Amino acid sequence: VLVQQLQESKDSYDLLNHENKQKMDMALNLLAEARHYVGSLTEQVDQQQQQMELVQTTTSSLHAQLDATRQELSLQRERAKRFEMDTEQLQQKLQQQEILLKHHRKVAARRQKSSGTSQQANANNNNGNGE
């Protein structure tokens, strides 16, 4: 009877030991899968972090380019305003020169007409004296 109880205890112990070993193997397999999964996630996080750094660098660069473009545009606007003002001043000077030119032509025409009538009068006087 005692041997039979010992045999049953041993069989029960062996069965529990076998079940525990299976559970331990399953736990080790799950642990290995978890490590692989964590490693994969870590790699993905590292890649995403690198991408974020690249995006931040690119964004900073684009902001700097945008600021430079805005400054250049502002300078171009100022130059355009100055050019427009210079053009208006030149147009005003041109109009003044045209007015002066018209005036000088009128004065010259009057002098020529006056000179022509004086010459005619002198010619008439000379003809009258010579007769």
Side-chain angles (χ1 to χ4, degrees), residues 45-62:
V45 167
D46 289 346
Q47 287 176 354
Q48 287 176 349
Q49 189 173 5
Q50 288 174 354
Q51 289 174 349
M52 284 179 58
E53 289 172 0
L54 179 63
V55 166
Q56 288 173 343
T57 302
T58 303
T59 301
S60 295
S61 175
L62 289 174

Side-chain angles (χ1 to χ4, degrees), residues 90-105:
L90 287 173
Q91 286 176 340
Q92 289 174 357
K93 285 181 181 179
L94 180 61
Q95 288 173 349
Q96 290 172 354
Q97 292 296 321
E98 287 174 348
I99 290 169
L100 282 174
L101 181 61
K102 286 179 183 176
H103 175 71
H104 287 302
R105 284 182 180 161

Side-chain angles (χ1 to χ4, degrees), residues 22-65:
Q22 285 180 337
K23 288 179 182 178
M24 182 64 97
D25 288 344
M26 285 177 35
L28 289 174
N29 284 339
L30 286 173
L31 182 61
E33 286 179 25
R35 284 183 178 160
H36 177 72
Y37 182 69
V38 167
S40 176
L41 285 178
T42 302
E43 189 176 314
Q44 289 176 7
V45 167
D46 289 346
Q47 287 176 354
Q48 287 176 349
Q49 189 173 5
Q50 288 174 354
Q51 289 174 349
M52 284 179 58
E53 289 172 0
L54 179 63
V55 166
Q56 288 173 343
T57 302
T58 303
T59 301
S60 295
S61 175
L62 289 174
H63 279 297
Q65 289 176 4

Side-chain angles (χ1 to χ4, degrees), residues 62-79:
L62 289 174
H63 279 297
Q65 289 176 4
L66 181 61
D67 288 343
T69 302
R70 284 179 177 156
Q71 289 176 354
E72 181 63 27
L73 183 59
S74 178
L75 289 173
Q76 292 295 337
R77 284 183 183 143
E78 288 178 22
R79 288 182 191 139

